[in-house]
Amino acid sequence: MNKVFSINDDEFIRGKVPMTKSEIRAISIGKLELEEDSKVVDIGAGTGAISIEIASIIKKGKVYAIEKKEEAVELIKRNRSHFDIRNLEIIKGLAPEDLNNIDKIDRVFIGGSSGNMEEIIKWAHEKLSDRGKIVINTITIENAYKAINSLKQNEFKDIDIVHVNISKGKSVGDLTMMIGTNPIYIISAKR
């Protein structure tokens, strides 16, 4: 399990908690433009898939994973142990209020906002370093719209929006049928 990037979905301990799939993780993490000593916050961390993958890349950096649901927090702990990740701190709570003890950071990933998108983006603008970057994944048009507007209001630069549709092959007898997954908006911007 010493992979540097692109951990297979089936390697994670799952439960009933939503997980960002490997193809979406690859694009989202790529958009973060990580450095080996980056300080990263993963908001709405779910199973911890994004946090685990980032932590495995930034060996000299640190990842803070914040998640409000107890079941998800336990899964993140189990996955952290499963992948022997040592630079991941788990915070049980709600963003942004439970992140006030974190100083300057380099990257923010938002996978879930619990309705606090505008407040989280404002917090990110205050906490991000000068070369900081934010990446937001949303599945709804409304949240994409809120995120883009909030990024503009907080004077983020180079706002980029990618709409990703992934289909995966499934065997149907001796044929292969493509099954679509939920489309995702991946929004990135620089401070």
Side-chain angles (χ1 to χ4, degrees):
M1 280 192 254
N2 288 332
K3 293 183 181 181
V4 176
F5 192 73
S6 194
I7 300 169
N8 293 328
D9 289 344
D10 59 2
E11 291 183 52
F12 286 95
I13 302 165
R14 293 285 303 277
K16 296 178 182 176
V17 176
M19 181 177 82
T20 303
K21 303 298 185 284
S22 63
E23 296 84 3
I24 301 302
R25 286 196 311 273
I27 296 168
S28 300
I29 292 170
K31 293 282 186 184
L32 283 169
E33 298 176 359
L34 298 167
E35 297 174 17
E36 68 177 3
D37 62 346
S38 292
K39 284 178 67 179
V40 182
V41 175
D42 177 4
I43 298 172
T47 59
I50 289 274
S51 297
I52 298 292
E53 200 140 354
I54 290 172
S56 71
I57 296 167
I58 59 167
K59 303 283 187 196
K60 296 180 182 176
K62 181 157 186 173
V63 180
Y64 300 91
I66 184 163
E67 175 56 55
K68 67 178 184 175
K69 296 178 183 169
E70 186 63 43
E71 179 186 3
V73 168
E74 290 306 312
L75 277 174
I76 298 168
K77 288 177 183 176
R78 290 176 63 201
N79 278 311
R80 178 177 62 184
S81 176
H82 177 69
F83 289 100
D84 193 27
I85 298 294
R86 296 166 195 245
N87 56 343
L88 170 59
E89 182 177 324
I90 302 165
I91 302 166
K92 184 183 183 312
L94 192 62
E97 57 262 21
D98 292 317
L99 293 172
N100 288 330
N101 293 334
I102 296 175
D103 292 326
K104 284 287 183 190
I105 50 176
D106 303 302
R107 305 290 187 267
V108 173
F109 174 79
I110 303 173
S113 67
S114 295
N116 296 330
M117 184 72 72
E118 292 91 348
E119 295 87 352
I120 293 168
I121 291 172
K122 182 178 179 189
W123 173 87
H125 188 265
E126 292 168 2
K127 293 288 186 170
L128 276 168
S129 60
D130 289 339
R131 297 183 310 124
K133 193 150 188 202
I134 186 169
V135 173
I136 304 163
N137 285 5
T138 76
I139 58 172
T140 68
I141 296 167
E142 292 80 6
N143 278 341
Y145 176 79
K146 281 182 191 176
I148 294 163
N149 275 345
S150 188
L151 289 168
K152 289 177 181 176
Q153 289 171 359
N154 286 281
E155 300 178 358
F156 277 87
K157 302 174 190 107
D158 302 329
I159 298 171
D160 181 53
I161 304 125
V162 178
H163 186 247
V164 181
N165 290 303
I166 303 287
S167 296
K168 297 186 99 163
K170 178 182 178 186
S171 294
V172 180
D174 60 347
L175 303 173
T176 303
M177 180 171 77
M178 298 306 290
I179 306 293
T181 60
N182 285 337
I184 305 285
Y185 295 93
I186 301 173
I187 304 160
S188 59
K190 295 178 182 172
R191 185 173 183 291

